Amino acid sequence: MYALVDCNNSYASFERVFNPKLQNVPVVVLSNNDGCVIARSNESKALGIKMGEPYFLIKDKIKEHNIRVLSSNYTLYADMSNRLMTMLENYTPDVEVYSIDEAFMYFKGFDNFSLYDIGKQIHQDLLKGVGVPVSIGFAPTKALSKIANRIAKKYPEHTGNYYIIDNEDKRVKALKWTKIEDVWGIGRQHAKKLMSIGANTAYDFTQLNDNYVRKYFSVVGLRLLHDLRGIPTIQQEEVKDKQNIACTRSFDYMITEYELMQERISTFTTTVAAKLRKQGSNCEVIYVFIRSNRHRHDLAQYNTGYSIKLPYPTSSTFELNKHAQKALKLIFKEGYHYKKAGVILMGITKDETKQLSMFEYENPKHKVLMNVIDSVNKKMLGEKIKFGRNDLSRKWKMKQDFLSQRFTTNINEIITVKAE
């Protein structure tokens, strides 16, 4: 059996662990630069706050209903997620982290155990150990466990936050209850196509012919079809190294000067280079892009990017930044107001399979230096060693007017208890 464990309103729930004043009140969490809503508590959902709504458009509603607003605190969320995923391994070693707030668990050899007891225990332990409520769906396949999880989350008072699809009647009933657009892996366009032929529910989808599904929805759609029929087809995925590594950011204000953009690109390159080294890889292509503010129709628009094939695979920040700056110089134009930029590394290969060049090669001292820098920054829990082109004063922060403290990762921001 598979189980999907999903945090309920994860970002809002993570914030509530350390701020009891947020309990039972409407809460929204905003995206980078406080742009739009990316998380809502149940109370905010009830007030009609939608996912993706721009913050500036709902300010009046927020004030009217006294909704608590928070900037996204990814440092806190990542640490809380790691604690939760670590606890899940107490129940089975086969845990597949699907996202920051979701994980699949595979219970092989648990035939003589009660999944009801296991589900209840997981929910209680996570609520006590991490402080976050979760919903759990058990089923013989991953796709069905997604649907079981949705049922557990939709009817917590009846399910106790965990639900098990363990027979054919439950499977059929769950599929008929699930709208086709809510099926895991069915995107908006595929949902429209399926509804146009009368497949409005997950059950309708399972009644389609295999050849038809393979023809119009590829082999991925066929695997999903079999999974929903109760035939395990979507297997557990192994953790794989990333094939592309990116760092893209919107700025808190528009940039017009070339020197300021140089600093941004340098900082982004430093970030992706560290990620590249962390997975023991090198890259062969670097892509840099810059974007003007598409929401400012009164300003001239300019969006472009440029990729450079590196002379040899590398993970050196020095080498990558040198080529990133070359790309920026080729695409930057004066007179535009830039709102976003990014650096993407491609052509990623493992370090042990690095292809050497006969005529050009990397300074061997770089590798040793990069290892030292990464080690120091890791031990110091932050970017303590920086490169010359980076902004040493760290004035380039995202707009985060409602940021909470990093309670679990920064000793200067841990929770304070006042006893009288």
Side-chain angles (χ1 to χ4, degrees):
M1 292 287 279
Y2 285 93
L4 177 69
V5 180
D6 182 19
C7 298
N8 299 340
N9 309 318
S10 58
Y11 290 176
S13 295
F14 291 156
E15 297 281 0
R16 282 173 165 172
V17 171
F18 300 97
N19 189 350
K21 293 181 179 179
L22 298 178
Q23 297 290 347
N24 303 316
V25 300
V27 177
V28 296
V29 179
L30 304 178
S31 63
N32 290 340
N33 290 311
D34 295 341
C36 60
V37 175
I38 58 170
R40 307 159 295 164
S41 65
N42 288 333
E43 294 82 3
S44 294
K45 294 176 185 178
L47 293 172
I49 303 295
K50 297 184 175 66
M51 283 289 285
E53 278 196 290
Y55 170 60
F56 73 92
L57 290 180
I58 59 173
K59 282 186 176 180
D60 290 341
K61 184 181 289 188
I62 287 173
K63 185 176 181 180
E64 178 185 355
H65 297 286
N66 195 28
I67 299 174
R68 295 295 301 272
V69 179
L70 294 163
S71 301
S72 50
N73 188 343
Y74 294 117
T75 302
L76 174 65
Y77 306 157
D79 185 68
M80 293 293 288
S81 173
N82 181 61
R83 292 167 184 242
L84 187 145
M85 301 306 172
T86 301
M87 285 193 67
L88 292 181
E89 294 177 358
N90 293 330
Y91 306 95
T92 172
D94 297 320
V95 177
E96 177 191 338
V97 179
Y98 184 66
S99 68
I100 194 171
D101 60 353
E102 288 181 281
F104 286 105
M105 305 173 71
Y106 183 44
F107 291 91
K108 184 179 180 180
F110 282 70
D111 297 342
N112 296 323
F113 290 82
S114 169
L115 294 179
Y116 290 93
D117 292 341
I118 293 175
K120 182 178 181 180
Q121 192 66 49
I122 292 175
H123 182 267
Q124 290 178 347
D125 288 352
L126 293 181
L127 192 59
K128 181 179 180 180
V130 186
V132 176
V134 300
S135 297
I136 310 164
F138 291 91
T141 71
K142 291 174 75 173
L144 287 173
S145 71
K146 272 275 191 178
I147 292 178
N149 181 278
R150 179 178 285 271
I151 295 172
K153 184 173 291 188
K154 181 72 174 178
Y155 306 106
E157 64 281 2
H158 295 107
T159 64
N161 293 103
Y162 54 94
Y163 184 75
I164 304 173
I165 297 177
D166 53 1
N167 59 52
E168 184 64 8
D169 288 341
K170 283 186 175 182
R171 184 187 73 85
V172 172
K173 186 177 180 180
L175 292 179
K176 289 182 176 180
W177 173 81
T178 306
K179 297 178 182 178
I180 190 62
E181 60 266 30
D182 293 332
V183 175
W184 179 45
I186 298 291
R188 185 179 302 174
Q189 294 304 317
H190 283 164
K192 288 182 179 179
K193 184 175 183 62
L194 287 167
M195 287 189 285
S196 70
I197 62 171
N200 297 307
T201 67
Y203 180 78
D204 296 333
F205 178 64
T206 61
Q207 302 308 297
L208 297 177
N209 180 273
D210 283 21
N211 292 330
Y212 175 86
V213 173
R214 185 184 182 97
K215 179 179 180 180
Y216 292 102
F217 302 97
S218 77
V219 68
V220 176
L222 186 61
R223 288 173 183 160
L224 175 61
L225 179 72
H226 290 171
D227 231 53
L228 291 173
R229 288 175 177 169
I231 306 169
T233 310
I234 304 175
Q235 303 300 328
Q236 244 186 326
E237 298 180 3
E238 295 181 359
V239 177
K240 299 179 180 179
D241 291 334
K242 295 181 179 180
Q243 296 305 304
N244 294 313
I245 297 178
C247 181
T248 65
R249 296 286 187 273
S250 294
F251 312 134
D252 55 349
Y253 62 87
M254 292 181 287
I255 292 177
T256 57
E257 296 85 358
Y258 178 62
E259 290 75 16
L260 298 183
M261 187 63 79
Q262 279 186 304
E263 189 280 326
R264 284 290 76 203
I265 295 301
S266 176
T267 297
F268 296 166
T269 305
T270 301
T271 299
V272 293
K275 292 180 180 179
L276 186 66
R277 293 191 295 271
K278 185 176 182 180
Q279 71 173 39
S281 300
N282 298 283
C283 80
E284 298 179 356
V285 179
I286 188 167
Y287 176 76
V288 176
F289 73 84
I290 51 178
R291 303 279 190 269
S292 57
N293 192 342
R294 62 186 179 89
H295 297 292
R296 289 292 301 272
H297 302 294
D298 57 319
L299 298 174
Q301 298 295 308
Y302 178 64
N303 306 311
T304 190
Y306 191 83
S307 62
I308 292 181
K309 177 74 168 63
L310 306 180
Y312 43 80
T314 183
S315 62
S316 166
T317 301
F318 293 118
E319 295 293 332
L320 292 173
N321 191 43
K322 178 176 69 177
H323 293 288
Q325 296 299 329
K326 286 182 181 178
L328 176 63
K329 189 173 183 179
L330 290 171
I331 61 178
F332 187 89
K333 288 185 178 181
E334 300 284 351
Y336 291 96
H337 294 71
Y338 297 101
K339 185 62 176 175
K340 186 175 184 178
V343 175
I344 303 175
L345 303 183
M346 298 176 287
I348 294 177
T349 58
K350 296 299 291 181
D351 196 35
E352 57 264 24
T353 60
K354 183 176 181 179
Q355 182 67 45
L356 301 178
S357 172
M358 183 177 295
F359 303 105
E360 295 184 90
Y361 54 88
E362 180 179 284
N363 187 330
K365 295 181 180 180
H366 285 191
K367 187 175 182 62
V368 178
L369 180 59
M370 294 300 112
N371 288 338
V372 172
I373 291 174
D374 292 341
S375 177
V376 171
N377 284 338
K378 182 179 180 180
K379 289 181 180 178
M380 300 298 291
L381 300 177
E383 194 178 324
K384 302 302 181 182
I385 299 180
K386 298 189 178 184
F387 293 81
R389 196 182 290 274
N390 295 4
D391 188 341
L392 303 181
S393 64
R394 292 199 67 183
K395 65 183 180 182
W396 292 104
K397 292 183 178 180
M398 288 188 295
K399 182 180 180 182
Q400 296 174 303
D401 293 338
F402 315 101
L403 186 64
S404 59
Q405 294 176 235
R406 294 164 292 180
F407 298 102
T408 62
T409 60
N410 191 312
I411 191 66
N412 297 315
E413 298 180 14
I414 60 174
I415 193 167
T416 302
V417 178
K418 296 182 179 180
E420 295 182 358

